[in-house]
């Protein structure tokens, strides 16, 4: 029960991030990123995988906000996606969308100064691990 209560701010934050459209990217690769962000990830990899990738990105954004290692979860997710024989274009879409969602989540958590108590950190790691497990029958 304590973990659920500790995770409540996380889920409220995710709801607020989900309501926002992608922000304008800037920088040398912004044209490519904007082009990718113009197409929902579900159109590229399917709805089920897009939901899991977004959930992983949001968990990683919270891990980053809490100053915890998130890169390993991202790497494992990308390996899983490669193992599904994704094309390079699909992998690029996954990476860009992951980065967008991770950044939006971290910025919102930083702005709201969400605390990161120990049980919350544990629940974030557990969530990331759960998202890496295969879907039964999938």
């Amino acid at each position: 029960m304590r973990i659920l209560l500790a995770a409540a701010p996380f889920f409220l934050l995710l709801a607020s991030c989900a309501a926002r459209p992608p922000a304008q990217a800037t920088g040398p690769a912004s044209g490519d990123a904007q082009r990718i962000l113009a197409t929902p990830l579900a159109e590229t990899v399917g709805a089920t995988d897009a939901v899991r990738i977004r959930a992983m990105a949001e968990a990683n954004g919270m891990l980053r906000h809490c100053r915890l290692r998130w890169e390993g979860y991202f790497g494992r997710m990308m390996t899983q996606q490669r193992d599904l024989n994704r094309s390079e274009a699909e992998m690029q879409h996954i990476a860009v969308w992951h980065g967008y969602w991770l950044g939006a989540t971290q910025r919102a958590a930083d702005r709201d100064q969400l605390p990161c108590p120990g049980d919350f950190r544990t629940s974030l790691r557990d969530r990331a691990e759960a998202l890496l497990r295969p879907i039964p029958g999938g």
Side-chain angles (χ1 to χ4, degrees), residues 59-136:
N60 284 342
M62 288 304 298
L63 286 164
R64 189 170 175 182
H65 162 73
C66 292
R67 293 177 171 49
L68 297 171
R69 300 290 309 206
W70 60 272
E71 299 88 351
Y73 298 116
F74 172 73
R76 289 169 54 197
M77 179 199 71
M78 292 298 281
T79 297
Q80 286 178 339
Q81 293 299 314
R82 271 188 210 91
D83 290 348
L84 295 172
N85 296 316
R86 300 274 189 212
S87 69
E88 286 305 311
E90 289 170 324
M91 294 301 293
Q92 184 179 24
H93 283 234
I94 291 166
V96 168
W97 273 105
H98 178 278
Y100 168 74
W101 287 319
L102 179 148
T105 300
Q106 181 188 2
R107 282 189 301 278
D110 290 350
R111 179 194 65 235
D112 295 343
Q113 298 179 359
L114 293 180
C116 298
D119 55 348
F120 182 63
R121 291 170 180 238
T122 299
S123 70
L124 288 173
R125 288 184 189 112
D126 291 347
R127 174 79 173 136
E129 286 294 334
L131 288 164
L132 290 170
R133 288 188 204 110
I135 299 172

Side-chain angles (χ1 to χ4, degrees), residues 12-69:
L12 291 172
L13 174 69
L14 295 183
S16 71
C17 288
R20 296 187 191 130
Q24 292 291 344
T26 58
S30 66
D32 289 340
Q34 282 302 108
R35 180 184 49 76
I36 289 169
L37 291 173
T39 304
L41 186 59
E43 290 182 21
T44 305
V45 299
T48 301
D49 285 339
V51 167
R52 285 177 63 93
I53 291 164
R54 181 175 186 152
M56 177 59 75
E58 290 168 342
N60 284 342
M62 288 304 298
L63 286 164
R64 189 170 175 182
H65 162 73
C66 292
R67 293 177 171 49
L68 297 171
R69 300 290 309 206

